[in-house]
């Protein structure tokens, strides 16, 4: 495999940097456009090879383009991750100390929950319990809005979970700081925040992974202990099926430290 960095690679990296994270079909469209504009070799099924060349050159800078999956619909995403910074370093330039504390406590609620979501009510109730500096609820609402905008949290119907970007950047941090609670998906072996859990052996599966695994089974059984799987099998949509013709826009980053160990 060729490892030489071309102008096509540089353009791809610049655009990804401006977005922070990019859905798979957009990344494939960007790959094609960058290769065509700079007249470099293009093959529609070689995006990961193209990114591997970039990662070779990013390695001395302690950066990496990672591939991950949305826990909601199973879509593929690519994100530029800084390996040199601790999570708190990433967030500190954009968020005040009490805002970081609110984010850490929100992460606690999300990981402690069975669903992988925390309600806005429960999060806002933490605002006047912060040790660094108490917050008014209006201020806390704005912080949550900023965290959603910056793709560290994802909001749906007044409930919050960790955004795909956050999971991709903070997977190792979460696994080491929530050792008794954080689990990996039994199918794809990535961190699972929203998951179904076997009531017998305790293994978990992302909803999209469970949907794919059990799709052809009339009597679903746990892949680990073979006991009956009691949960409703999630429906799976066809992820990454469209190749849009335009690329969107994006911004900055957070982190955390001192999250309580459960």
């Amino acid at each position: 495999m060729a490892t030489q960095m071309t102008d096509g690679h540089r353009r791809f990296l610049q655009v990804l940097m401006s977005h922070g994270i990019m859905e798979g079909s957009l990344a494939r469209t960007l790959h094609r456009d960058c290769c065509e504009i700079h007249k470099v070799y293009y093959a529609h099924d070689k995006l990961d090879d193209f990114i591997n060349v970039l990662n070779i050159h990013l390695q001395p800078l302690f950066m990496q383009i990672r591939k991950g999956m949305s826990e909601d619909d199973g879509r593929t995403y690519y994100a530029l991750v800084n390996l040199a910074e601790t999570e708190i370093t990433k967030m500190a330039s954009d968020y005040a100390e009490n805002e970081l504390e609110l984010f850490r406590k929100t992460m606690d609620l999300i990981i402690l929950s069975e669903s992988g979501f925390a309600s806005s009510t429960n999060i806002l109730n933490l605002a006047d319990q912060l040790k660094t500096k108490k917050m008014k609820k209006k201020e806390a609402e704005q912080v949550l809005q900023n965290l959603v905008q910056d793709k560290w949290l994802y909001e749906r119907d007044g409930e919050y979970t960790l955004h795909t970007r956050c999971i991709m950047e903070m997977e190792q941090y979460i696994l080491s700081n929530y050792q008794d609670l954080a689990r990996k998906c039994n199918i794809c072996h990535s961190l699972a925040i929203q998951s179904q859990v076997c009531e017998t052996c305790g293994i978990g599966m992302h909803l999209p992974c469970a949907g794919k695994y059990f799709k052809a089974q009339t009597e679903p059984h746990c892949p680990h202990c073979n006991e009956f799987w009691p949960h409703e099998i999630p429906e799976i949509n066809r992820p990454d099926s469209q190749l849009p013709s335009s690329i969107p826009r994006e911004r900055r980053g957070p982190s955390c430290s001192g999250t309580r160990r459960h």
Side-chain angles (χ1 to χ4, degrees):
M1 182 184 71
T3 58
Q4 186 175 351
M5 184 97 135
T6 68
D7 287 340
H9 290 94
R10 293 184 187 93
R11 180 183 287 265
F12 184 96
L13 180 60
Q14 285 170 352
V15 176
L16 183 59
M17 284 175 71
S18 71
H19 292 248
I21 185 169
M22 187 175 286
E23 194 263 334
S25 60
L26 290 174
R28 289 197 296 274
T29 300
L30 178 62
H31 172 219
R32 181 196 64 204
D33 291 348
C34 290
C35 291
E36 287 178 356
I37 289 167
H38 294 284
K39 295 181 171 52
V40 297
Y41 171 74
Y42 168 73
H44 70 91
D45 59 345
K46 297 295 184 185
L47 173 59
D48 287 352
D49 289 346
F50 184 86
I51 286 173
N52 284 341
V53 172
L54 276 165
N55 281 336
I56 289 168
H57 292 271
L58 288 170
Q59 192 174 7
L61 305 174
F62 300 100
M63 299 188 80
Q64 184 182 69
I65 298 171
R66 283 187 183 163
K67 185 178 181 179
M69 179 192 76
S70 164
E71 293 194 332
D72 274 327
D73 56 20
R75 288 180 184 272
T76 298
Y77 280 82
Y78 293 87
L80 184 64
V81 175
N82 191 330
L83 304 176
E85 295 179 339
T86 63
E87 286 78 8
I88 209 153
T89 313
K90 289 179 199 160
M91 289 187 85
S93 60
D94 292 318
Y95 294 91
E97 210 174 337
N98 61 339
E99 294 173 340
L100 292 178
E101 186 183 355
L102 182 66
F103 177 73
R104 289 194 296 269
K105 288 181 177 294
T106 299
M107 188 181 283
D108 287 347
L109 289 176
I110 290 168
I111 294 173
L112 274 167
S113 73
E114 287 186 9
S115 65
F117 280 83
S119 72
S120 56
T121 303
N122 288 343
I123 297 170
L124 295 176
N125 285 340
L126 299 170
D128 59 0
Q129 300 172 26
L130 301 177
K131 293 177 182 176
T132 45
K133 182 186 175 185
K134 291 180 181 177
M135 233 183 252
K136 293 178 181 174
K137 286 195 176 177
K138 260 280 187 263
E139 295 172 317
E141 284 174 351
Q142 184 58 53
V143 173
L144 287 176
Q145 192 175 322
N146 291 343
L147 288 165
V148 169
Q149 183 181 340
D150 293 339
K151 293 183 168 46
W152 300 105
L153 293 178
Y154 170 74
E155 187 268 338
R156 184 173 70 200
D157 300 327
E159 298 211 319
Y160 292 83
T161 188
L162 302 183
H163 193 282
T164 305
R165 176 186 185 179
C166 180
I167 295 171
M168 290 171 73
E169 293 231 17
M170 296 191 183
E171 178 168 356
Q172 292 310 312
Y173 171 84
I174 292 169
L175 288 170
S176 60
N177 282 271
Y178 297 90
Q179 289 179 12
D180 298 331
L181 289 165
R183 59 169 56 86
K184 288 189 174 186
C185 173
N186 189 257
I187 303 299
C188 72
H189 308 296
S190 295
L191 174 66
I193 301 297
Q194 299 175 54
S195 62
Q196 291 184 345
V197 178
C198 177
E199 295 175 356
T200 304
C201 69
I203 64 112
M205 285 193 275
H206 288 122
L207 305 186
C209 291
K212 289 176 189 171
Y213 183 79
F214 293 124
K215 186 179 179 184
Q217 298 184 27
T218 50
E219 283 274 314
H221 288 82
C222 174
H224 184 256
C225 69
N226 207 36
E227 286 294 318
F228 177 73
W229 194 262
H231 307 286
E232 182 179 347
I233 306 307
E235 286 188 22
I236 52 169
N237 298 318
R238 181 66 249 153
D240 295 347
S241 59
Q242 299 298 316
L243 289 183
S245 57
S246 60
I247 309 291
R249 307 164 58 110
E250 172 115 358
R251 65 221 123 243
R252 53 179 206 192
S255 136
C256 40
S257 146
T259 306
R260 72 173 189 270
R261 194 179 291 250
H262 304 285

